[in-house]
Amino acid sequence: PSKYSLSQNYQKMFNIAGFQKQLKTKKVGRSFLHRQQTPTTMTLSEREYLEGAQSGTMVLAESQTKGKGRQDRKWVSKPLGNLYFTFFLRLTTEENFIKYNFLTPVAIALSLEKSTNGKIKPQIKWPNDIWINNKKISGMLINVDFMGKLVHANIGIGINVNEDVSKNKEVSSIATSVFCCLGKVISREELLADFCNYFEELMEMSMDEIMKIYCKYEILLRHEIIVMPKKKEDKSSYYTAKAVKYDKNGALVVLYNGKLITLTNEEVSIRLK
C-alpha cells in the first residue's frame, strides 16, 4: 500500500453519472472524459479541442505523472481522491477573456463553500491561487491561444479534496486539503458539479461584477506585500509595497515609494510580508 494512503481507505473512483446528474450547465462538463492516469490533463484537453470537441469539454484524471501549475511548477498529482481536471472554451476576441483569470478562482471558492456547508472559508491569493489557513488548496493554469478572431482557452485546475496532505512530506508544509480541514471525505462529484454550475453563471457576468465577488475572497489588499520580479532571480530586486486595489483588467496596483505602480502576474510573483 502507498505510504500516502487516505484515511478511511478512500480510494473511490469518480462517478461520472453522479456528477452529471448534478450539472445545471449548458456546456461546461457536459462532454466528459475520465482517465485513471495521464501525464497531464492539459494535453488531453488540447487534443479534444483540435479534434473538434464541443466547448466546455472536460478531462479528469485520478492522477497525473507530469502535472504542472503556473511558471512550470510541479503539481503533485497522486491518486488519492483529489480533482485534477482541464476543460477548454471556444471564445472570440470580442469577449473579455481576461475575466476567466478571475472568475475561475471565484467559482472554486464558491463551490468549496457550498460543498462543505460553509465550514471552509477559502481565500484567493492574486491572481488565482486558493488558500485556506495560509496553505494552498487549489491552483490553476490558464493557457490562451489566438487564431484570428477565435480564442482557445485551456483551463487546468487541481483541487486537494480527500487526500490527507499532512502525510505527504513533499507538500505538507505549504498545502492543505478539504479532508485536512474537515477531518472527513466529501463528494468530489458534488464539488466539481458545483464548480461547473458557478463557472457558467459567472461567465454571464461583467468583469466589474466578477471583481466585486473576487474582492470578498482576496487576501492582499491593504496589506504589505513582497514583490518579486520574475525576470530577476537576484533577491536584491525584491521590494516591499502596499497592495492598494485592482484595476479594470485585474492587475494589482501597489503603493511603492509614494507612487502607484501597476503589476501584472506575468511580470511578478507576490507573497504577503
Side-chain angles (χ1 to χ4, degrees):
S2 168
K3 63 179 178 178
Y4 300 124
S5 292
L6 271 175
S7 297
Q8 302 178 17
N9 297 315
Y10 186 90
Q11 297 292 342
K12 190 176 179 182
M13 289 287 287
F14 191 84
N15 185 325
I16 299 174
F19 156 69
Q20 293 192 318
K21 187 177 180 180
Q22 300 176 75
L23 278 183
K24 300 175 183 176
T25 61
K26 293 181 180 178
K27 292 184 178 180
V28 179
R30 288 294 175 184
S31 179
F32 194 91
L33 283 79
H34 178 264
R35 296 290 184 270
Q36 181 64 35
Q37 184 181 82
T38 187
T40 166
T41 57
M42 293 289 283
T43 302
L44 289 180
S45 177
E46 288 169 1
R47 186 192 71 185
E48 289 299 307
Y49 167 80
L50 292 172
E51 292 181 354
Q54 70 180 47
S55 183
T57 293
M58 183 172 285
V59 180
L60 178 141
E62 298 296 333
S63 67
Q64 299 178 115
T65 56
K66 296 180 180 179
K68 61 181 180 178
R70 290 191 307 118
Q71 301 174 48
D72 278 334
R73 292 186 180 126
K74 179 183 178 183
W75 184 272
V76 179
S77 312
K78 298 181 182 298
L80 298 174
N82 297 322
L83 287 172
Y84 315 118
F85 62 98
T86 300
F87 62 103
F88 71 82
L89 300 173
R90 298 180 186 274
L91 308 170
T92 70
T93 52
E94 295 175 359
E95 299 176 67
N96 184 359
F97 51 87
I98 294 174
K99 72 180 184 180
Y100 291 94
N101 284 316
F102 302 93
L103 77 81
T104 307
V106 168
I108 292 175
L110 290 169
S111 58
L112 282 169
E113 279 189 324
K114 182 177 183 296
S115 63
T116 62
N117 295 314
K119 292 178 181 177
I120 277 183
K121 304 296 182 185
Q123 297 173 310
I124 300 174
K125 177 181 172 288
W126 181 82
N128 49 30
D129 283 344
I130 308 295
W131 284 20
I132 295 175
N133 300 327
N134 296 314
K135 290 187 176 183
K136 189 171 178 176
I137 194 169
S138 176
M140 64 202 68
L141 178 63
I142 302 177
N143 291 337
V144 177
D145 292 320
F146 301 90
M147 292 148 286
K149 292 185 177 181
L150 301 179
V151 180
H152 165 218
N154 208 32
I155 303 173
I157 297 171
I159 306 176
N160 296 331
V161 186
N162 290 320
E163 177 184 359
D164 186 351
V165 179
S166 67
K167 294 181 179 179
N168 186 339
K169 292 182 179 180
E170 282 185 80
V171 297
S172 59
S173 64
I174 57 172
T176 189
S177 66
V178 175
F179 179 86
C180 288
C181 294
L182 301 182
K184 64 178 183 179
V185 299
I186 67 166
S187 166
R188 291 190 296 160
E189 293 80 7
E190 178 183 347
L191 176 58
L192 186 56
D194 286 340
F195 166 79
C196 294
N197 295 336
Y198 279 124
F199 186 94
E200 204 159 281
E201 284 181 31
L202 291 162
M203 285 177 67
E204 302 302 315
M205 295 185 184
S206 68
M207 183 68 169
D208 285 345
E209 292 172 317
I210 291 165
M211 290 307 293
K212 284 180 181 177
I213 305 174
Y214 181 94
C215 286
K216 293 179 181 178
Y217 293 97
E218 73 83 41
I219 58 175
L220 297 185
L221 294 188
R222 298 170 297 280
H223 289 94
E224 284 199 333
I225 58 174
I226 298 173
V227 181
M228 300 171 285
K230 289 181 180 176
K231 293 182 179 179
K232 299 179 180 179
E233 295 182 6
D234 184 359
K235 289 187 178 181
S236 65
S237 66
Y238 295 3
Y239 61 91
T240 300
K242 185 176 182 180
V244 177
K245 65 179 181 178
Y246 298 103
D247 73 7
K248 64 180 181 179
N249 293 316
L252 178 62
V253 180
V254 302
L255 182 65
Y256 175 65
N257 280 348
K259 295 182 180 180
L260 293 176
I261 302 174
T262 300
L263 306 174
T264 66
N265 66 290
E266 290 85 10
E267 297 172 329
V268 299
S269 290
I270 299 291
R271 69 168 179 247
L272 284 166
K273 189 174 180 182

